[in-house]
Amino acid sequence: MDGDEKKPEESLDRAEEAGFTGGRDRSASSFGGEEHLYRAFFRAGPDGVLFADAGGGILDANEEACRLLGRGREELLAPGGGEIFDPSDPRLAAARGEQDLTGSFRGHLRVLRGHPGGEVGTFEASVTVAGYVDGAGENRLVIVVRDTEEQRRPDPEVSRGAEETFLSIASYVGDAVVVFEIDGSLRYVSPALERLTGYAPEELVGFVMLDVIHPEDLEMVVAESVEIWDSPGIAPPFIFRLRRKDGSWAHLEFAMNNLLEDERVGGVVVIIRDVTERVRAEEEVRRLNSELERRVAERTAELQAAVTKLKENEELFRATFEGAATGIALLSTEGRYLRANRRFCTITGHRDGELVGEDFRDTIHPEDAPGDEERRLRVAAGETPDYSAEVRYLRESGSPVWVQSNVSLVRDDSGGPAYFILVVEDIDARKKAELALGSLTLREKEVLLRLARGETSRQISDRLFISYNTVRSHVASIIVKLGVENRTQAARRAIEFGLVLDDAKTV
């Protein structure tokens, strides 16, 4: 382009800086001997090729891209010069949504020709966008633009090189990519699937996967697949169990895009992610919550039985009431405290005897008060015998504390409501742990899990296929989010959260 022509080697160096080749000294390992395909595609290909960061900023462009866009290479790389697509194109939002969901996009869009700050025209183009992760763990995009209005016939050899380049990119992303034929057999399998399942790509090409799907999930998978095969486009992801080559079961998330009607693809493209650890963690949380509910129900039943006997023996009532390991309070039907034991006062942050006569509504968080009031009215009306809820009480200082509140009603001899029994258990630490754990990203949870297993940053880097510096960045973020001082404390907190499963400690 005018004043912006660059030598081929200089453009290649710029692309290496963008992370596509991982640097001249690592290009052989990044492409496995296919570097010549990339060089031919980038330098002399009939299509415009651009590299961009995750935010869309242009990192490099070949000569054809500059010609199509009517901008010099330096203009494209300058701040604000990298706007490529016509923002008024109604197809743009759907294209970006597809790219965000699947990591790639292929279709037609209107492309800007000329500098956005000057005279700008548009042309209809065939656009392909593919995401990849460079050697430093950074998300990158490769964008290929072809002017469909020019109706140019591409060189078959160069097109073949472009296809092989995209397959090379798919080989190094973290998730696996597969393409199904219309009959359900596999046409293409990226090498990443071997890391997830143990099956090499050559073992699966032409293979129908029904034999390795868990029998309990088979009906669901078949139903989902039939619906997807009948409906072109992107389908909501779903999770099922697949038997790995070593006989263990992996929970895989399938995000499928039906491109059977696209003559350039003619298949169903699937992005596969291993969510085994996430599913196990969720199952463990459910198990712990179920166990807690069981224990609370048992204690509530025990306390209700004790209250019945307390009517006959006030001394026994006082001893049980004051010595209970859980917080207990008696509440009038008008909502005022009649009694509260020491444990209840300790949990809610009040002094002994301070709550007697106080309005219950003044000691519960304003956001939780309406719901709790409604539930107590339903108990009083006989619609339900009791209820259990996680609510926030207010300490004397005004700070909230999470409790598991179990409320039942004692009726008088005539059957009318006499008073409520409140049984509370301190779950503040567990709730804060859940909130802290919920603030972590999926990748940070994976790193935290391996910290808890005693793995070093280097081992985590190798096993998660991310860079050492990225692991250190995740560890620093985890320490901040969990409010701890070092990785050892973070690992200990993960064990306290129940994130580490007994059967996973030997992995």
Side-chain angles (χ1 to χ4, degrees):
M1 305 305 293
D2 295 341
D4 289 296
E5 258 184 289
K6 300 293 180 182
K7 295 179 181 180
E9 285 296 324
E10 187 174 347
S11 293
L12 182 60
D13 291 341
R14 184 70 181 183
E16 289 174 346
E17 292 171 7
F20 187 71
T21 68
R24 185 72 53 82
D25 58 335
R26 295 197 309 233
S27 59
S29 62
S30 298
F31 284 91
E34 296 180 343
E35 182 181 355
H36 68 282
L37 297 172
Y38 160 68
R39 291 177 183 270
F41 176 74
F42 186 78
R43 293 175 180 171
D47 303 319
V49 181
L50 306 98
F51 296 104
D53 58 26
I58 303 301
L59 301 173
D60 202 9
N62 69 356
E63 291 183 6
E64 180 62 7
C66 295
R67 186 189 72 79
L68 290 174
L69 299 178
R71 279 170 266 175
R73 182 169 167 276
E74 296 303 321
E75 288 181 280
L76 286 169
L77 270 58
E83 182 63 34
I84 300 174
F85 304 111
D86 183 359
S88 65
D89 190 343
R91 299 165 294 182
L92 184 57
R96 286 175 173 164
E98 180 179 343
Q99 198 276 326
D100 289 341
L101 180 62
T102 68
S104 65
F105 165 76
R106 181 180 288 179
H108 290 79
L109 294 171
R110 282 201 304 273
V111 175
L112 299 174
R113 176 178 283 135
H115 197 283
E119 185 174 348
V120 178
T122 63
F123 64 95
E124 188 74 4
S126 173
V127 178
T128 300
V129 181
Y132 67 98
V133 179
D134 67 11
E138 297 292 331
N139 291 320
R140 302 298 192 198
L141 298 173
V142 57
I143 305 169
V144 180
V145 178
R146 177 181 299 171
D147 189 346
T148 56
E149 295 175 357
E150 292 184 358
Q151 295 296 313
R152 294 178 289 109
R153 184 179 300 278
D155 185 333
E157 292 300 321
V158 176
S159 296
R160 189 179 303 111
E163 180 179 355
E164 293 185 24
T165 298
F166 277 108
L167 294 180
S168 181
I169 292 171
S171 299
Y172 294 96
V173 295
D175 297 336
V177 180
V178 302
V179 180
F180 285 96
E181 297 282 11
I182 191 170
D183 63 358
S185 63
L186 286 164
R187 180 205 308 166
Y188 168 75
V189 178
S190 71
L193 191 62
E194 185 171 6
R195 296 195 298 268
L196 304 184
T197 66
Y199 297 104
E202 57 270 18
E203 296 180 83
L204 295 177
V205 172
F207 180 69
V208 177
M209 298 183 65
L210 296 180
D211 292 339
V212 294
I213 296 174
H214 196 287
E216 295 177 2
D217 299 337
L218 185 58
E219 183 177 352
M220 178 271 293
V221 173
V222 171
E224 292 281 354
S225 300
V226 169
E227 183 175 351
I228 291 167
W229 253 250
D230 290 340
S231 306
I234 299 172
F238 62 92
I239 297 173
F240 68 94
R241 288 164 290 180
L242 180 141
R243 187 175 64 247
R244 297 188 180 102
K245 191 172 183 178
D246 63 7
S248 63
W249 293 100
H251 290 80
L252 301 182
E253 180 182 74
F254 265 37
M256 308 181 79
N257 188 1
N258 182 348
L259 298 174
L260 289 168
E261 297 181 359
D262 189 324
E263 60 182 15
R264 295 163 299 180
V265 180
V268 177
V269 180
V270 184
I271 306 297
I272 303 175
R273 176 169 295 172
D274 188 342
V275 295
T276 303
E277 295 298 337
R278 186 186 82 191
V279 171
R280 287 178 176 175
E282 291 171 350
E283 290 175 349
E284 180 64 8
V285 169
R286 287 193 292 269
R287 186 192 68 79
L288 292 174
N289 285 337
S290 177
E291 176 66 16
L292 176 61
E293 291 174 359
R294 183 190 65 78
R295 290 171 56 194
V296 169
E298 289 178 352
R299 292 188 182 184
T300 300
E302 294 170 358
L303 290 169
Q304 286 178 328
V307 169
T308 301
K309 294 182 179 180
L310 289 177
K311 292 181 179 180
E312 304 171 357
N313 191 328
E314 177 62 23
E315 291 299 322
L316 178 60
F317 167 79
R318 183 175 294 108
T320 304
F321 185 84
E322 294 299 335
T326 54
I328 309 172
L330 305 183
L331 200 66
S332 71
T333 54
E334 293 78 26
R336 294 193 174 275
Y337 284 100
L338 301 175
R339 299 185 68 166
N341 71 352
R342 285 189 295 270
R343 181 58 181 160
F344 187 95
C345 293
T346 299
I347 293 173
T348 58
H350 292 83
R351 295 186 294 273
D352 288 352
E354 183 182 57
L355 291 172
V356 175
E358 292 294 322
D359 193 322
F360 171 77
R361 289 174 286 268
D362 294 335
T363 62
I364 192 170
H365 196 285
E367 295 178 1
D368 297 337
D372 197 88
E373 179 76 9
E374 180 181 355
R375 288 187 287 268
R376 280 193 290 113
L377 290 176
R378 291 182 59 198
V379 172
E383 297 177 12
T384 180
D386 52 37
Y387 69 87
S388 176
E390 294 181 355
V391 297
R392 289 163 293 180
Y393 278 44
L394 296 177
R395 297 187 178 97
E396 187 177 11
S397 63
S399 62
V401 56
W402 281 97
V403 302
Q404 176 75 37
S405 176
N406 300 275
V407 180
S408 58
L409 179 68
V410 174
R411 297 185 179 276
D412 57 25
D413 295 339
S414 64
Y419 54 87
F420 292 97
I421 303 175
L422 278 64
V423 181
V424 301
E425 187 163 335
D426 187 352
I427 61 170
D428 198 55
R430 176 175 68 80
K431 288 295 292 186
K432 289 178 179 177
E434 289 177 357
L435 295 173
L437 188 60
S439 70
L440 299 181
T441 66
L442 177 59
R443 180 62 82 186
E444 288 171 347
K445 289 178 183 177
E446 292 174 335
V447 172
L448 178 59
L449 176 63
R450 296 191 176 278
L451 283 178
R453 292 177 182 166
E455 294 183 15
T456 66
S457 295
R458 184 65 63 189
Q459 290 172 326
I460 295 173
S461 171
D462 293 339
R463 295 193 178 184
L464 296 184
F465 303 98
I466 57 179
S467 71
Y468 176 76
N469 288 336
T470 300
V471 174
R472 295 186 63 184
S473 176
H474 284 319
V475 171
S477 177
I478 291 169
I479 289 172
V480 172
K481 290 182 179 180
L482 297 187
V484 297
E485 296 180 359
N486 52 52
R487 60 188 291 148
T488 301
Q489 292 183 5
R492 186 179 300 116
R493 185 63 58 85
I495 296 172
E496 294 171 356
F497 290 174
L499 185 62
V500 180
L501 305 178
D502 291 339
D503 61 342
K505 292 179 180 178
T506 59
V507 175

